[in-house]
Amino acid sequence: MDLVAALARARSAAEPGPGTSAGPAVPDWPGPPLPVPAAGPGELDLDRLLRLSLTASDPAGRLRPAASAGALHPVDALLVVGEGCPLPPGRYGYDPLRHRAHPLGPAPHGTPPGVSVELRVTERRTRSHYGHRALPLLLLDTGHVAGALRLAA
């Protein structure tokens, strides 16, 4: 289904159908979880950036700085870390429930200093509750996370 048709269906009067399992609240990132270290002199305060934008403040993970439809939080973050951060350069999957970074591999060649955040959506989390009405909500949730990251930066 194309985007226009999916958005039209999302706004239709059709019932979303029965709920399904949302699946895990965060991806099952490979690799050992690493704490996000405190920033040293001249380093980006990655701990503060993540706490102000993505980290859950409750064990269930429903209370986070960025709003989410149904508190389902479908937006996941991958960190691309360059020099000048408390974590060694590399790619990391971020776990907002435990405030941990999972090493995924080396940073791409030419990674600039600091951190870039790649956002990915786990559609199942929102679709589980909202069915065919999920697409606009996924777009809104992604915008909320992007806005929270921008404000925290």
Side-chain angles (χ1 to χ4, degrees):
M1 182 179 298
D2 69 24
L3 179 62
V4 172
L7 288 172
R9 184 160 186 256
R11 291 176 174 84
S12 74
E15 290 293 321
T20 60
S21 169
V26 296
D28 185 17
W29 299 113
L34 303 174
V36 178
E43 289 183 327
L44 172 80
D45 193 347
L46 187 58
D47 176 68
R48 181 173 166 80
L49 173 76
L50 294 172
R51 286 188 187 279
L52 289 173
S53 60
L54 299 173
T55 305
S57 62
D58 68 313
R62 295 178 64 82
L63 299 175
R64 302 188 197 184
S68 174
L72 294 166
H73 301 283
V75 182
D76 301 313
L78 284 93
L79 311 174
V80 181
V81 176
E83 295 293 333
C85 283
L87 284 171
R91 291 177 52 84
Y92 298 86
Y94 180 64
D95 180 342
L97 303 183
R98 293 161 197 85
H99 189 51
R100 297 287 185 262
H102 293 256
L104 301 177
H109 180 71
T111 297
V115 65
S116 297
V117 181
E118 296 176 5
L119 301 178
R120 295 187 180 177
V121 173
T122 302
E123 183 180 348
R124 172 183 176 181
R125 291 186 206 139
T126 301
R127 191 167 293 283
S128 69
H129 184 73
Y130 294 100
H132 67 275
R133 294 183 181 160
L135 182 59
L137 301 172
L138 292 166
L139 295 170
L140 284 169
D141 284 359
T142 304
H144 288 301
V145 169
L149 284 163
R150 176 72 175 118
L151 287 171

